[in-house]
Amino acid sequence: MMHGAPEVTLRFLASPNDVASIGGKVHAGRVLEWIDKAAYACAVGWSATYCVTAYVGSVSFVAPIDSGNLVEVRAKLVYTGRSSMHIRVNVTSADPKVGRYVTSSDCMVIFVAMGADARPQPVEPWVPQTDEDASLYNDAVNRIDIRARIEEAMKGQVYSSEGTAEIVTMRFFAAPTDVNWGGKTHGGTVMRWIDEAALACASTWSGLDAITVYSGGIRFYRPIPIGHLVEVEARLVHTGHSAMHISTHVRSRDPREREFQLTTHCLTIMAALDDSGHTTAVRPWVPVTAEDDRLDAHARHLSQLRSGSTHLPPLQVSAR
């Protein structure tokens, strides 16, 4: 089987349509869409078949992107499983008048190759060729156990009406404009919905503007067909000094049916902003019920698990 190069780089200008209504910077949800598209291109180039997003690891948003900035999204294959491909994605941007690129975000995305029967199909193993390859490969291997523990911790939580924290729920139909190359809703679009719901929840709780500082543990359980009714529920589970930890569940159903099915789960951390656009203290959320206590402890536990997985070895800067 012939393979494309295990690396893809997208370059473009951030447009005014990419900018959030709050803060005047590119929306974090848009960056997540870019990450998913670049990783998809890389995965398809290696597997030579249609692929689906299975998991997105810790995405820290460390530098804002302005409208008109040059954006570079570099996706590099760093590890293969039986049918999975672990793609390291780095997003950088630069003022075109200056040309100095800075990192905006960096994360790991896992795609699964799919056969004509809509089942996972094996991919050819990728073998590191350079010292950088070996470093990234070893880092991916070391993260497998941490990722499994984060997934298990998130999957095991129960969210019911017994909780008293702020909840925002959005409902709408998956539209034809959301379609991906496999006829389902694009994974990047789902991540944008998650970010929008988390932002609404954070702003409703705090009464302030907010920005995304972290998004992670994004697990895709099943695809969302176009035409399905989609429910995105964002719930506050913990607050820090200026941070609000938001757990978001995406569910969908055929509009002719009644039961929603879970499609995606994510944990987002939002930061409250003052009138000058600087992070500011947010009113604390105090757990009331047993479920509140459990979810607050869950958020703290996830923070501890992430502390051993947030640092990524640097990708070498490509020539520009």
Side-chain angles (χ1 to χ4, degrees), residues 9-14 26 31 34-35 62-66 69-75 88-95 99-107 315-318 320:
T9 300
L10 306 182
R11 294 188 179 95
F12 49 88
L13 287 174
V26 171
V31 177
W34 297 341
I35 287 171
V62 297
I65 300 175
D66 291 312
N69 270 18
L70 289 166
V71 178
E72 179 175 288
V73 187
R74 180 187 177 195
R88 170 77 180 281
V89 184
N90 177 259
V91 182
T92 58
S93 71
D95 183 329
R100 183 174 63 86
Y101 282 79
V102 296
T103 294
S104 171
S105 59
D106 202 81
C107 69
L315 283 174
Q316 293 179 1
V317 178
S318 59
R320 298 183 174 92

Side-chain angles (χ1 to χ4, degrees), residues 54-56 143-159 216-221 247 249 262 265-267 294-295 297-299 301-302 305-306:
Y55 186 86
V56 181
R143 289 172 184 276
I144 291 174
D145 179 63
I146 295 175
R147 187 184 72 251
R149 283 187 282 163
I150 290 175
E151 284 191 63
E152 189 64 26
M154 294 180 71
K155 182 180 179 181
Q157 295 306 307
V158 176
Y159 295 77
I218 307 173
R219 179 72 166 85
F220 292 84
Y221 294 102
S247 181
H249 293 77
L262 178 66
H265 185 195
C266 173
L267 191 285
R294 178 170 46 76
L295 292 177
H298 168 59
H301 180 221
L302 289 178
L305 291 175
R306 290 195 306 271

Side-chain angles (χ1 to χ4, degrees), residues 243-262:
M244 292 160 282
H245 296 228
I246 313 290
S247 181
T248 304
H249 293 77
V250 182
R251 306 177 181 90
S252 80
R253 66 174 173 85
D254 187 308
R256 296 165 296 187
E257 301 173 352
R258 292 185 177 275
E259 295 297 322
F260 280 93
Q261 290 189 313
L262 178 66

Side-chain angles (χ1 to χ4, degrees), residues 173-179 185 193 226-228:
F173 284 104
T177 51
D178 302 322
V179 71
T185 302
W193 294 340
I226 300 304
H228 263 211

Side-chain angles (χ1 to χ4, degrees), residues 49-61:
T49 188
Y50 172 64
C51 299
V52 296
T53 315
Y55 186 86
V56 181
S58 301
V59 189
S60 294
F61 298 91

